[in-house]
Amino acid sequence: MKRYALRQVVQLAVVIVGISMLAFAILHVIGDPVTLLLPQNAGKDEYARYNTLLGLDKPIYVQYWKFASRAAQGDFGKSWYADTPAFKLVLERMPPTLYLTTAGLVTALLIALPLGILAALKRHSFVDSLCTMVAVAGQAMPIFWLGIMLIIIFAVQLRLLPASGYGTWRHFLMPAFTLGAFLAPITMRLVRSGVIEIMNMEYIKTARAKGLAERLVVIKHAFRNACIPVITVLGLQFGQLLGGAVITETVFAWPGVATLTVDAIRNQDFPVVQCAVVLLALIIVTVNFLVDMIVGLIDPRIRVGA
Amino acid sequence: MRRSLATGLLAILALALVPPAGAQTREETLIYSLQSDIDNWDPPNSVLREAIILGYHVYDHLAVRDLKTRRVGPNLATSWTNIDDTTWEVKLRQGVKFHDGTPFTSRDVKATFDRVLDPTKKMTARGNHAKIKAVDIIDDHTVRFRTDGPYPLFVERLTAQVMQSDKVIREKGHEWMQENPVGTGPYKLVKWNRKQEHQLVRNDDYWGPKPAFKHLRIRIIPEKATEIAELLSGGVDIIKAVPPDQMDVINKSGQARTGTSPILRTAMLQLDQASRSGPNPFTDRRVRQAANLAVDNDAIIKFVLNGLGDRVATGVNPMAFGWDPGLKPYKQDLAQAKKLLAEAGYPQGVDVLFNEGPPIVEPAIQQTNDAIIADMTKAGFRVKRNYIGDNTVLVARIKDGKAGSMFNWSWGYYSVFDADAILFDVFKCGENYSYYCNPALDDLIIQGRSTLDQKKRTEVYVKAQKLLFDDAAYLYKWGLRGVWGISNRIEYQAPADEVDRMFLVTPKKK
């Protein structure tokens, strides 16, 4: 297990360096940053001054090294728009998004696991069709539509929950459900097909032959193995979930990092974009690392094979 | 290992599900919503309308506009007189204190303007006050402003500058001021959660009438549908920029109502008379007149905008100083429009390009554009439409002289209720946002801003408007009206200058 973990850590480091290079490149591929920064009527002198000021006259590897070593200390420069360090801006907005995505993930699992297993065990029955219908409907519903419908029903009509905002557990329910509903269908279908496949395996027959109760067969033998693809996909879907968070955050006025990033892109606020890209990528990479670890724990073949 | 991993995961989940809490009594709290947040709490360092609005709550200005008469009256300044053409003497209110307890004196006025006018500070508001050369302290409560030539907009512009503290500027500095406002205003800032919420509390030492609500929360809700849902469910008390098609939903809810007010903003289609984007049919006056005669703007206001517009004869808004009530707008006359096009050499009609903007500033812009083009087509214009979805892109192209022969444009006067505030920026030769150039008009614009004699200025602007109308500089549309959503628990008057003042809101009488 230790060797397996070590290999994963090395891979992690390589990916992080790659991401920092990409983030560094953002500023350079979209055009000349000095032209972007300066007003239309700026003269040549001013151009040259800014070029030196930003260090753009130095060779590219020197520039990258400066960027990377500063970034490692959390210094991405000041936001061009808000007059505040980019790192501070991004960090402030990180927890709401992490809360939201985690809650969305949990909601998705709470929906997907029971329904998926049920659908697999009662294959081709009415229950199975019902679950499939729920999945298709969930996948077909755009996030913003579902979000606004929930607001109209639970906030405007029933007055049970606050329509938007951030602060208490009551603010949490609708955004978490909205995001969870976005991820649940695909997860549910995976659970269903995984369980169906495994239920036909030899070792399940063995388990049944030795007289285990059906409940134990499903929970101890089938489910654990069906988990592996589900966990892997959830890890991969985490990035998708951040994409969904942009819309969820906008609809529910949720002060997260996803909307901050999109705003920063729109405002061409590059320090913030770079900082957000690096930190979000770090989170995604870490989540995937954890997924690999968990999968390794569940399935010995994976860590031994590695 | 497995168990500790599971415990760890559970701990993370538990943390995730218990976000920080914050509570307040709804009765004494007023909640106002904005679609986007400010960039800093230093109003002269921001170009945003939201910064102006929030600035009114924590800071005071030397002069303010009376919303009923729309005239500028005293505030932190009690009076002003011009000693000669280039000197204004301003008397200051006594007994006013900043939130940190220091008294407000002429030193603060000087420090505020010195900071804004210092070119090295690069403050956004500098352009607004560039005519001011210096501020001299006469005594603790008297200052003199020296201007670069006669400056008729001096008093108007006093409403556009918040008074900041000399002590804070000296001791705390620029950086600190970006997030920590110390003003003399009716509310104090308690907490700012960026892009989420501002929490303010009443300044109980305020020199003027104290606000009715002790707590003021300003929430940032980017999505309009959510904003309206919040209003209807009682989560928010005031929202602005309600789309015309949502007015019924709000008015029939029993929870809230809409309020409208004409606002200081005129909409038009700019025509490239100055051929900044290259040769085009609109360089010919007859073609521009034909465009104005083709469109039935009265019908568009009535049927497309639900009456939310006020017809104008030129770009000058009826609320601006210098507006000529005697000048009547173009009336639709398709036969005359066709005749003029034929005279201009287009008997078979003419092709024009139209760059359309997104629905950010003007409500229902898409629908009104459809109607305008339908009318122009009847007169013989073949309009090629090009939609530009991002307003910043459209504005950048306009500035660069690449906006094409015809494009959407509206102008908010920087909230200065004076004809000069649109004529100079939008009609003068060579200005960034002007696609019109006529030396005769430029003469009038310069005359209008070079004298303090208001009667003479009025005469000049009457002439200027006549010229703009006859020459059909642009395709003139209407003055906009703003729509607010207002909770039934409060009383609120929609403001003509687009500056919401929460300190004027009172609970509804039962």
Side-chain angles (χ1 to χ4, degrees):
Chain A
M1 186 70 197
K2 268 188 192 151
R3 263 189 62 196
Y4 173 66
L6 200 70
R7 277 185 73 144
Q8 297 294 326
V9 170
V10 172
Q11 280 182 12
L12 196 80
V14 173
V15 172
I16 289 169
V17 170
I19 289 163
S20 73
M21 282 180 173
L22 274 178
F24 171 72
I26 293 174
L27 193 61
H28 294 264
V29 285
I30 45 97
D32 182 5
V34 183
T35 320
L36 263 173
L37 264 172
L38 287 181
Q40 303 279 333
N41 52 1
K44 270 199 178 127
D45 292 348
E46 207 162 353
Y47 183 93
R49 202 170 69 80
Y50 263 81
N51 213 29
T52 326
L53 203 71
L54 293 174
L56 293 169
D57 50 345
K58 305 246 166 53
I60 196 96
Y61 60 88
V62 177
Q63 289 181 43
Y64 170 71
W65 178 245
K66 234 174 130 183
F67 167 78
S69 53
R70 277 186 180 170
Q73 299 165 44
D75 177 7
F76 287 84
K78 258 188 176 182
S79 156
W80 292 355
Y81 184 70
D83 221 358
T84 318
F87 188 64
K88 188 182 160 215
L89 276 181
V90 174
L91 221 58
E92 269 176 11
R93 303 281 296 271
M94 204 53 105
T97 299
L98 291 184
Y99 292 148
L100 180 63
T101 40
T102 315
L105 209 65
V106 172
T107 315
L109 285 176
L110 287 179
I111 301 171
L113 289 181
L115 289 187
I117 294 173
L118 201 68
L121 296 180
K122 311 261 176 194
R123 193 144 60 115
H124 301 315
S125 70
F126 171 71
V127 177
D128 186 17
S129 317
L130 198 72
C131 292
T132 311
M133 257 172 63
V134 169
V136 171
Q139 219 148 18
M141 256 188 294
I143 291 187
F144 70 89
W145 186 84
L146 177 63
I148 288 170
M149 284 302 128
L150 289 176
I151 291 177
I152 290 176
I153 295 169
F154 289 99
V156 179
Q157 301 295 337
L158 300 176
R159 301 278 185 123
L160 288 174
L161 295 170
S164 67
Y166 175 72
T168 67
W169 64 270
R170 296 172 70 235
H171 289 105
F172 234 86
L173 299 177
M174 291 198 288
F177 182 80
T178 307
L179 200 55
F182 160 75
L183 187 63
I186 185 172
T187 320
M188 191 202 111
R189 300 195 68 117
L190 253 150
V191 173
R192 179 181 176 273
S193 59
V195 173
I196 288 173
E197 197 187 311
I198 283 158
M199 289 308 277
N200 292 326
M201 291 282 194
E202 294 295 326
Y203 67 87
I204 295 289
K205 283 182 193 157
T206 313
R208 280 180 177 150
K210 70 184 185 191
L212 271 184
E214 187 66 15
R215 189 171 50 91
L216 284 179
V217 173
V218 173
I219 294 174
K220 273 199 98 165
H221 294 268
F223 178 64
R224 183 167 161 182
N225 284 294
C227 271
I228 295 165
V230 173
I231 293 172
T232 312
V233 166
L234 280 182
L236 294 174
Q237 287 279 322
F238 194 76
Q240 281 282 93
L241 210 54
L242 283 173
V246 175
I247 304 164
T248 315
E249 285 176 7
T250 308
V251 170
F252 290 100
W254 193 265
V257 77
T259 34
L260 175 81
T261 312
V262 173
D263 282 351
I265 292 168
R266 207 178 283 152
N267 295 333
Q268 306 195 323
D269 192 347
F270 292 105
V272 177
V273 176
Q274 287 177 325
C275 180
V277 164
V278 169
L279 291 190
L280 287 174
L282 266 179
I283 289 172
I284 293 176
V285 171
T286 313
V287 166
N288 280 299
F289 171 74
L290 285 178
V291 164
D292 287 344
M293 290 284 103
I294 294 170
V295 169
L297 272 180
I298 297 176
D299 188 348
R301 285 171 303 178
I302 292 176
R303 59 176 188 258
V304 173
Chain B
M1 166 93 186
R2 241 182 279 175
R3 183 162 299 165
S4 59
L5 195 79
T7 327
L9 276 176
L10 271 178
I12 293 174
L13 287 184
L15 267 180
L17 292 170
V18 189
Q24 231 169 15
T25 55
R26 189 72 179 89
E27 272 300 293
E28 40 176 30
T29 308
L30 180 68
I31 307 179
Y32 171 59
S33 154
L34 289 169
Q35 274 192 285
S36 62
D37 202 3
I38 52 172
D39 41 357
N40 61 56
W41 256 109
D42 186 15
N45 193 28
S46 174
V47 73
L48 302 175
R49 164 72 43 181
E50 290 81 3
I52 298 176
I53 294 175
L54 296 202
Y56 265 75
H57 292 82
V58 170
Y59 291 103
D60 279 316
H61 304 73
L62 286 178
V64 287
R65 186 174 313 282
D66 183 313
L67 285 176
K68 288 207 182 75
T69 62
R70 288 177 195 144
R71 292 279 150 246
V72 175
N75 200 46
L76 282 186
T78 50
S79 68
W80 42 81
T81 39
N82 48 304
I83 293 175
D84 56 52
D85 263 7
T86 58
T87 315
W88 290 81
E89 184 168 289
V90 175
K91 294 273 184 202
L92 303 178
R93 190 174 295 279
Q94 308 205 4
V96 176
K97 275 192 179 130
F98 282 99
H99 296 161
D100 63 358
T102 37
F104 166 75
T105 68
S106 32
R107 277 191 305 281
D108 302 305
V109 179
K110 181 169 170 56
T112 296
F113 278 97
D114 283 354
R115 173 168 182 255
V116 169
L117 293 173
D118 182 351
T120 65
K121 293 273 191 321
K122 301 210 163 128
M123 304 292 276
T124 316
R126 188 166 164 261
N128 280 342
H129 307 293
K131 286 279 267 185
I132 295 172
K133 273 205 313 209
V135 182
D136 303 323
I137 297 177
I138 304 303
D139 61 43
D140 265 5
H141 293 97
T142 312
V143 283
R144 274 192 196 154
F145 288 82
R146 278 182 281 132
T147 63
D148 181 13
Y151 182 25
L153 293 184
F154 174 75
V155 178
E156 275 280 340
R157 295 261 200 236
L158 288 185
T159 67
Q161 180 58 52
V162 298
M163 285 301 115
Q164 295 176 304
S165 147
D166 171 47
K167 190 177 154 212
V168 169
I169 293 170
R170 269 187 299 110
E171 291 176 8
K172 301 287 191 178
H174 179 84
E175 201 88 348
W176 190 85
M177 291 169 74
Q178 302 311 301
E179 292 187 12
N180 302 282
V182 179
T184 57
Y187 280 103
K188 299 190 242 191
L189 179 69
V190 178
K191 199 169 174 213
W192 175 23
N193 293 325
R194 226 173 247 273
K195 304 226 176 181
Q196 183 187 350
E197 180 173 305
H198 302 262
Q199 291 175 17
L200 289 84
V201 67
R202 182 169 55 206
N203 172 12
D204 284 320
D205 294 329
Y206 189 52
W207 59 270
K210 296 185 183 50
F213 287 91
K214 179 160 189 230
H215 298 284
L216 170 61
R217 286 172 61 198
I218 297 158
R219 291 190 49 196
I220 313 301
I221 304 177
E223 172 57 44
K224 191 93 282 161
T226 312
E227 236 188 347
I228 293 172
E230 282 283 15
L231 179 71
L232 298 186
S233 62
V236 156
D237 295 313
I238 296 177
I239 67 174
K240 51 181 213 161
V242 173
D245 61 344
Q246 293 295 308
M247 290 173 69
D248 256 10
V249 176
I250 294 174
N251 287 326
K252 286 180 180 159
S253 68
Q255 292 298 322
R257 62 195 186 275
T258 55
T260 66
S261 167
I263 53 177
L264 186 62
R265 184 175 283 278
T266 20
M268 60 201 100
L269 299 186
Q270 281 212 35
L271 309 173
D272 190 7
Q273 179 264 5
S275 63
R276 277 177 66 181
S277 304
N280 72 82
F282 291 120
T283 50
D284 189 318
R285 179 207 305 205
R286 290 165 297 190
V287 180
R288 299 195 302 274
Q289 286 170 333
N292 274 286
L293 287 167
V295 181
D296 188 355
N297 277 313
D298 296 308
I300 294 175
I301 292 173
K302 191 168 168 199
F303 298 110
V304 184
L305 289 175
N306 284 331
L308 295 174
D310 298 285
R311 192 81 168 87
V312 287
T314 69
V316 178
N317 192 288
M319 287 190 286
F321 172 84
W323 178 66
D324 178 9
L327 194 61
K328 295 291 165 238
Y330 281 96
K331 272 239 164 295
Q332 190 185 36
D333 186 344
L334 290 172
Q336 180 65 12
K338 281 183 191 154
K339 192 167 153 248
L340 283 166
L341 272 189
E343 279 174 25
Y346 306 108
Q348 306 303 320
V350 59
D351 293 291
V352 291
L353 172 73
F354 177 23
N355 277 319
E356 297 184 51
I360 290 186
V361 190
E362 276 185 62
I365 195 171
Q366 208 74 54
Q367 293 86 326
T368 56
N369 279 345
D370 289 348
I372 288 171
I373 289 166
D375 278 348
M376 287 181 75
T377 309
K378 286 180 211 158
F381 287 92
R382 286 182 295 272
V383 181
K384 187 169 169 236
R385 305 174 69 167
N386 177 41
Y387 179 70
I388 300 176
D390 185 335
N391 203 42
T392 45
V393 172
L394 177 63
V395 172
R397 284 174 71 166
I398 293 169
K399 252 175 128 169
D400 279 357
K402 292 174 189 157
S405 59
M406 178 162 102
F407 57 90
N408 279 120
W409 186 244
S410 78
W411 188 250
Y413 286 67
Y414 293 121
S415 288
V416 170
F417 283 56
D418 195 290
D420 179 75
I422 188 169
L423 295 180
F424 189 87
D425 291 279
V426 182
F427 290 92
K428 192 175 164 296
C429 290
E431 287 303 313
N432 278 336
Y433 301 116
S434 167
Y435 277 59
Y436 182 72
C437 184
N438 182 345
L441 179 75
D442 286 7
D443 276 352
L444 292 170
I445 294 173
I446 299 302
Q447 279 178 40
R449 55 164 46 198
S450 316
T451 171
L452 298 179
D453 181 347
Q454 295 295 58
K455 195 164 159 267
K456 198 171 155 214
R457 293 186 73 225
T458 311
E459 286 164 18
V460 168
Y461 291 136
V462 166
K463 275 190 215 156
Q465 287 166 82
K466 179 86 174 65
L467 184 156
L468 284 175
F469 177 83
D470 291 342
D471 205 32
Y474 301 140
L475 202 172
Y476 306 120
K477 285 162 56 180
W478 46 79
L480 297 185
R481 288 202 189 181
V483 184
W484 280 258
I486 304 162
S487 160
N488 284 344
R489 70 187 274 258
I490 54 166
E491 299 283 358
Y492 183 61
Q493 281 297 310
D497 58 0
E498 294 181 82
V499 177
D500 287 307
R501 297 158 168 89
M502 293 303 117
F503 43 90
L504 298 182
V505 177
T506 53
K508 187 148 194 153
K509 289 175 200 91
K510 282 170 189 156

